[in-house]
Amino acid sequence: MSFDMDMSQFQQVFFEESAEHLASMESILLGMDIDNPNPEDMNALFRAAHSIKGSSATFGFPDMTAVTHDLETLLDRVRKNEIPLTTDIVDASLEARDILNTQLRAHQGGQAVDPAAVTAICTRVKALTGQPVDDAAGKKMTAGEKESALADVKTNASTGEPVVYQITVPFKADDPKKKLGPEVLKYLRTLGELEVLGRDEERASLRLTSAASRDEICEAFSFHPSADLVIIEPPEGAKPCKEKKPRKKKAVPTGSGRDPEISQPIQTAPEPSKDQETSPVVAMPVEIQETRTPPRPEQKAAAPAAETSIRVSVDKVDLLINLVGELVITQSMLSQTATAESLVSEHLYDRLLQLERNTRELQETVMSIRMLPVSFAFNRFPRLVRDLAGKLGKQVDLKMVGAETELDRGVIEKIADPLNHLIRNSIDHGLEMPDERIAVGKDPKGTVILSAFHQGGSVVIMVQDDGKGLNRDRILAKAKEKGIPVSDNMPDSEVWPLIFAPGFSTAAVVTDVSGRGVGMDVVRKNIESLGGRVEISSEAGKGSTITIRLPLTLAIMDGMSIGVGDQVYIVPITAIAESIRPSLKDIKTVVGQGRVVNVRGEYLPLIAVHEIFNIRAHSTSFDDGILMIVETDHGRVAMFVDELLGQHQVVIKNIESNYRKVQGISAATIMGDGSVSMILDVSEMARLGKLGAGIQRAA
Amino acid sequence: MEATQLNPATHESTAIVAGGKEYLTFTLGSEEYGIDILKVQEIRRYEKVTHIVNAPEFIRGVINLRGVIVPIIDMRLKFNLGSAEFTPLTVVVILNVAGRVVGAIVDSVSDVVHLSHDAIKPPPQFSSALAVEFIEGLASIDERMVIIMDIEALMTGQDMALVDQAA
């Protein structure tokens, strides 16, 4: 498996995206209405955490994954209304967010994050989630934990000289209000060396050797239900707390730090009513943000990562693309006008040519803004394959070819899920277990090849495996069971597409890898929604290949312009197999089935565009025009048109933004002369054609 | 819609006076109509449209308006008014209604007038080419009667077939 590829270029994207997610999490959290949280906000929070979790795992930052995992669990429970949202949860989420932010900066070359702080926040989040907290376990410190605590003392040593604190906490084993949660102990351990001196019926005594300020220790108890009874005694000569951080949760009387005998009560306000007086959590978001960031000067000093790219909203890019498209049209109209009115002097001609070159270059550059290498979708798969192979006990070698092929960003985003499904399928259903492979004389290690390349105006992505191939008999049996009309001697090319039928799974057992959830029908639907096509080829014992053909971008398409009567329509090139001039003797009428045309022995249904659209064609008989053989959802169909006009790259324009859906039309485009042409949806045309004499007559 | 000015005297120039609106008036055949000018994006000359298949007759087709595909409705065909011929005065009023851009062919645009609420009288109960629910009221300007039309309700209405109707 190619793990050694250069990940740095993707990491930059990860950094940017995570920073964006973190920023949005912060703003949502700060604007959250505790008593009446907006479910949409909760979902957005959850999604942000989930995205960071997923991508950090992919890019190999397990520390961030760990934190987001706990955070995500908490948010998920809140989101599902399993636990009510509290200020504590918002605070903890914000703190977790800050830790993530620090981690993120650490990965970008900043200072390393204090691992203890990470543990503390995870523990805190877990406690809020309501995961079982083993009280006793927290009280006893294993040798290993002691070591790590000691190590933590060292990491904190830079903040000052360690001093010894005596801490007395009210304690009652059977009263949940007077219990010491493990999160408290864990947090204290992050501050320094902690020893449990002993406990009696009433209180527990702890000794903490730490360089931390009293305030930081106070913080450990800020969520303790009876925090006001916690007594922290600094030893003689302890310096007063230097950092007077305005805590929003509690008012810590800071002036008393000089007197070692005066205990320092910490006020916590578990009731919301009290809370609102002392802590304007929601009202003063700026303050929260400042106080939440742990004051670690060495991290603040870390230089921000250099900006190597800017994030621009896709809307702006689309607007730019639109405008450039307009410019190209204006340019070509200008050229046409100049030529038509024979105004062209040599100078003007040269300058028009120059304008044309410049506009083309501008257009290409602008289009390339949206293009990304397909590796953005591919790079997650080595990890997926590794995990899957481990889970299934198979040996898999994933080869990726052509990952640098560029594809529209929108396509890449939407292709990842279908690819994910196909690769899972290949590994789960396609590849055999190592011993089966040895038995049939194959390398015990199966191979999955994921490749991408340009072919004509489209990008082809293939998922190939050298497994056992599709099982023809089982697919046919399943199809019969489902009531799909099949016959045993159907050609393979018609059998394989059956697996795209909804709810079609031949998996003998449903595993947690595949066999349930989204099926191949969803894969096909997703790909077709991108204007692409899926093909399958398979050979028993040798493996299967799934070929996905995608348009280069969602905004531009290669089209053939055709003339029907006075109208010009565009047919997507990817749909066209060939064009032929028919002879009347090949066209036959089938009773009740309309017309068919014999193309080299194959009878294809014939549909006439002018009949479906109720317009008048120039051709009076079939041998006047052209038959285009197009690939549709309903198989190959011959489409009768008057003439072929030419091939263009067309910009796809939505009709539905200002009008309703038009049957048989997928979109519109603007031609070189500024006029509008409709882009045909051949699959829908075929369906309309098969319905009989077109749609209802025009109103 | 627009902020009502508190002190009309100082804002005469903007002609937005308390309680009133500005209307664009246009003719369809022999009748004169007015629509809220804030719904009007621009006025263009009629140019060649691209036919939409299987569309109602009054939808002439679509045009390219600076990269946006805009459907063009012939109001004269829609309401059976006038001869639906194209003269040099025939214009397309590009409207911005309900978040959509739509063009309406009219015989000619006449004027922009300011009408106070009082000047618009409720329509009498009669059957007209325009269904009564799309008429806001009637106003008199210099002896001429202007039918004030609720263009947004009209364009988003069912029989316009501009928007997909929920099945």
Side-chain angles (χ1 to χ4, degrees):
Chain A
M1 244 176 281
S2 46
F3 277 123
D4 52 345
M5 62 178 170
D6 180 22
M7 292 289 273
S8 58
Q9 53 170 321
F10 312 122
Q11 279 179 2
Q12 189 55 38
V13 175
F14 164 69
F15 291 147
E16 285 168 5
E17 282 184 357
S18 300
E20 199 174 85
H21 285 310
L22 287 173
S24 76
M25 278 173 82
E26 184 168 48
S27 67
I28 294 172
L29 279 168
L30 293 175
M32 189 73 83
D33 179 359
I34 308 283
D35 295 320
N36 190 14
N38 179 351
E40 221 11 78
D41 282 352
M42 283 316 301
N43 286 336
L45 266 183
F46 174 77
R47 279 195 302 268
H50 187 77
S51 308
I52 298 175
K53 177 180 152 183
S55 44
S56 61
T58 314
F59 289 98
F61 302 123
D63 49 351
M64 294 184 68
T65 317
V67 178
T68 38
H69 175 72
D70 290 340
L71 185 60
E72 181 195 70
T73 318
L74 173 65
L75 293 171
D76 194 33
R77 294 206 60 190
V78 176
R79 176 173 86 121
K80 291 177 179 154
N81 290 324
E82 289 173 356
I83 46 176
L85 183 66
T86 62
T87 353
D88 285 0
I89 291 177
V90 174
D91 286 353
S93 306
L94 273 172
E95 207 156 302
R97 189 215 81 92
D98 289 349
I99 293 280
L100 284 169
N101 207 9
T102 328
Q103 286 174 327
L104 189 64
R105 262 185 276 149
H107 292 308
Q108 283 172 282
Q111 290 285 319
V113 190
D114 182 0
V118 177
T119 324
I121 189 63
C122 288
T123 321
R124 195 170 139 195
V125 169
K126 268 188 197 136
L128 286 166
T129 313
Q131 288 173 2
V133 273
D134 190 354
D135 212 33
K139 293 218 183 288
K140 282 180 210 138
M141 206 196 253
T142 63
E145 279 174 310
K146 221 168 197 170
E147 256 176 44
S148 73
L150 271 169
D152 293 337
V153 174
K154 280 177 208 139
T155 53
N156 269 3
S158 59
T159 54
E161 288 293 314
V163 287
V164 182
Y165 291 87
Q166 289 276 43
I167 305 169
T168 317
V169 189
F171 179 78
K172 224 176 208 170
D174 50 357
D175 182 353
K177 278 199 154 189
K178 294 186 176 171
K179 250 185 179 176
L180 256 189
E183 69 274 20
V184 174
L185 293 167
K186 242 185 187 152
Y187 177 74
L188 288 175
R189 269 177 220 138
T190 67
L191 298 175
E193 192 186 356
L194 183 74
E195 270 186 79
V196 181
L197 295 176
R199 58 179 200 238
D200 54 28
E201 303 260 305
E202 296 286 333
R203 59 180 67 88
S205 308
L206 309 167
R207 184 200 285 152
L208 178 68
T209 312
S210 166
S213 74
R214 186 208 294 263
D215 281 6
E216 280 175 82
I217 299 168
C218 291
E219 190 172 16
F221 298 97
S222 55
F223 298 103
H224 198 270
S226 43
D228 47 340
L229 298 173
V230 175
I231 299 164
I232 303 170
E233 295 174 33
E236 289 284 350
K239 287 176 189 163
C241 312
K242 262 186 273 175
E243 283 154 325
K244 314 220 177 321
K245 294 173 287 174
R247 287 286 161 203
K248 61 188 179 56
K249 277 293 285 181
K250 54 198 185 284
V252 184
T254 43
S256 58
R258 275 191 190 282
D259 192 337
E261 292 310 310
I262 295 179
S263 62
Q264 207 173 336
I266 311 164
Q267 277 187 340
T268 342
E271 295 84 18
S273 57
K274 218 170 148 191
D275 213 354
Q276 276 154 12
E277 289 159 28
T278 52
S279 62
V281 182
V282 184
M284 299 176 68
V286 180
E287 194 196 331
I288 301 169
Q289 199 185 342
E290 281 168 7
T291 54
R292 283 288 109 188
T293 318
R296 297 194 199 284
E298 74 274 11
Q299 272 162 18
K300 277 186 183 152
E307 293 277 330
T308 52
S309 63
I310 51 166
R311 289 182 71 80
V312 183
S313 89
V314 178
D315 285 352
K316 265 191 190 168
V317 175
D318 286 348
L319 181 65
L320 195 61
I321 290 173
N322 258 340
L323 289 174
V324 170
E326 282 302 291
L327 184 66
V328 171
I329 291 164
T330 314
Q331 175 268 320
S332 72
M333 284 196 299
L334 192 63
S335 301
Q336 277 179 18
T337 316
T339 322
E341 313 203 344
S342 46
L343 294 169
V344 184
S345 71
E346 203 169 314
H347 279 309
L348 184 59
Y349 183 76
D350 280 352
R351 274 150 215 187
L352 283 174
L353 221 57
Q354 172 102 38
L355 179 65
E356 184 178 340
R357 264 200 303 275
N358 290 348
T359 31
R360 294 272 166 230
E361 263 171 45
L362 184 61
Q363 189 186 28
E364 274 167 30
T365 316
V366 168
M367 293 310 297
S368 72
I369 295 178
R370 279 186 67 100
M371 304 294 264
L372 290 176
V374 74
S375 50
F376 277 86
F378 279 11
N379 64 53
R380 69 182 70 185
F381 295 124
R383 175 64 190 271
L384 174 93
V385 169
R386 206 186 82 113
D387 290 356
L388 266 184
K391 205 184 269 174
L392 297 167
K394 294 181 179 178
Q395 294 177 20
V396 185
D397 189 9
L398 175 70
K399 287 196 180 117
M400 298 200 291
V401 184
E404 70 287 342
T405 312
E406 284 199 330
L407 202 53
D408 188 89
R409 186 195 154 95
V411 181
I412 286 185
E413 278 167 4
K414 288 184 187 138
I415 197 65
D417 280 346
L419 279 182
N420 194 324
H421 190 84
L422 292 175
I423 290 176
R424 278 168 178 269
N425 262 349
S426 282
I427 295 171
D428 194 20
H429 304 316
L431 296 182
E432 312 92 329
M433 299 300 285
D435 45 351
E436 289 173 48
R437 290 182 67 90
I438 294 168
V440 294
K442 288 190 201 173
D443 185 344
K445 199 169 197 182
T447 307
V448 174
I449 303 172
L450 185 58
S451 51
F453 54 91
H454 285 273
Q455 195 180 67
S458 47
V459 169
V460 179
I461 297 178
M462 291 206 292
V463 181
Q464 283 168 280
D465 66 63
D466 64 348
K468 53 181 178 274
L470 292 172
N471 187 330
R472 186 188 154 96
D473 296 340
R474 212 149 81 193
I475 292 171
L476 284 173
K478 184 84 184 179
K480 280 176 195 155
E481 192 184 302
K482 288 244 152 210
I484 302 169
V486 289
S487 72
D488 285 334
N489 44 18
M490 274 162 81
D492 279 356
S493 62
E494 286 176 35
V495 173
W496 306 145
L498 288 172
I499 65 169
F500 290 121
F504 201 98
S505 176
T506 55
V509 277
V510 171
T511 66
D512 73 335
V513 177
S514 49
R516 61 168 185 178
V518 287
M520 292 294 278
D521 58 321
V522 178
V523 170
R524 181 162 77 166
K525 219 175 263 166
N526 285 352
I527 289 166
E528 282 175 357
S529 74
L530 295 171
R533 275 189 294 155
V534 203
E535 288 155 21
I536 305 179
S537 65
S538 179
E539 200 174 332
K542 292 233 173 108
S544 326
T545 302
I546 295 178
T547 310
I548 303 171
R549 229 169 268 279
L550 289 167
L552 265 182
T553 89
L554 294 181
I556 283 197
M557 186 189 74
D558 273 316
M560 177 75 80
S561 57
I562 56 165
V564 181
D566 300 329
Q567 303 290 321
V568 175
Y569 296 102
I570 306 287
V571 180
I573 289 274
T574 45
I576 303 174
E578 61 178 322
S579 301
I580 52 170
R581 192 169 277 280
S583 61
L584 281 177
K585 65 175 169 43
D586 290 333
I587 295 167
K588 306 269 189 318
T589 318
V590 179
V591 180
Q593 294 277 322
R595 283 177 297 255
V596 293
V597 58
N598 179 357
V599 180
R600 292 188 293 276
E602 192 183 358
Y603 283 98
L604 300 176
L606 189 154
I607 56 171
V609 175
H610 65 272
E611 285 177 7
I612 291 174
F613 285 166
N614 294 314
I615 52 179
R616 189 174 305 158
H618 289 318
S619 322
T620 46
S621 90
F622 282 115
D623 54 359
D624 280 354
I626 298 274
L627 277 182
M628 281 174 106
I629 314 298
V630 291
E631 307 269 1
T632 74
D633 290 357
H634 313 275
R636 280 150 65 94
V637 169
M639 234 167 58
F640 178 74
V641 301
D642 280 347
E643 53 185 334
L644 303 183
L645 298 173
Q647 194 175 334
H648 314 264
Q649 274 217 329
V650 299
V651 180
I652 298 170
K653 298 277 182 186
N654 193 346
I655 309 181
E656 280 151 73
S657 54
N658 288 320
Y659 192 63
R660 69 203 152 106
K661 168 97 186 89
V662 183
Q663 279 196 307
I665 301 291
S666 63
T669 189
I670 295 165
M671 304 298 286
D673 62 357
S675 67
V676 180
S677 279
M678 301 290 168
I679 301 172
L680 299 186
D681 181 338
V682 290
S683 291
E684 210 168 81
M685 299 270 303
R687 189 178 58 78
L688 294 171
K690 283 184 179 177
L691 284 181
I695 336 173
Q696 74 282 9
R697 297 280 144 190
Chain B
M1 197 89 236
E2 79 277 17
T4 312
Q5 299 297 329
L6 293 174
N7 188 349
T10 59
H11 290 277
E12 288 287 23
S13 56
T14 62
I16 299 169
V17 187
K21 272 189 195 170
E22 286 195 318
Y23 292 87
L24 175 77
T25 63
F26 55 84
T27 56
L28 292 177
S30 57
E31 294 175 9
E32 192 166 357
Y33 291 85
I35 53 171
D36 182 357
I37 198 152
L38 293 173
K39 303 270 189 265
V40 177
Q41 180 182 312
E42 61 188 279
I43 297 167
R44 295 171 66 87
R45 218 176 36 188
Y46 178 78
E47 52 194 306
K48 192 174 158 278
V49 298
T50 300
H51 178 69
I52 307 178
V53 296
N54 296 312
E57 194 194 359
F58 61 84
I59 295 179
R60 287 270 180 185
V62 290
I63 60 160
N64 159 31
L65 179 66
R66 293 185 295 278
V68 181
I69 309 289
V70 177
I72 301 295
I73 290 148
D74 198 324
M75 302 286 271
R76 305 164 302 182
L77 291 177
K78 173 68 188 160
F79 300 129
N80 300 315
L81 295 166
S83 51
E85 275 170 10
F86 291 96
T87 70
L89 285 177
T90 308
V91 290
V92 179
V93 180
I94 307 288
L95 300 161
N96 229 315
V97 285
R100 284 160 179 264
V101 185
V102 178
I105 301 174
V106 300
D107 279 329
S108 68
V109 288
S110 335
D111 204 355
V112 176
V113 293
H114 178 267
L115 293 172
S116 66
H117 281 324
D118 303 343
I120 302 171
K121 305 279 181 283
Q125 294 299 316
F126 61 89
S127 72
S128 83
L130 198 57
V132 174
E133 69 243 48
F134 302 130
I135 301 181
E136 269 180 26
L138 304 175
S140 293
I141 304 167
D142 308 333
E143 310 291 302
R144 287 176 292 142
M145 185 191 76
V146 176
I147 305 164
I148 305 298
M149 194 194 292
D150 183 350
I151 193 75
E152 180 141 357
L154 174 71
M155 288 300 176
T156 52
Q158 272 202 9
D159 54 344
M160 263 309 181
L162 278 180
V163 277
D164 272 321
Q165 301 299 336

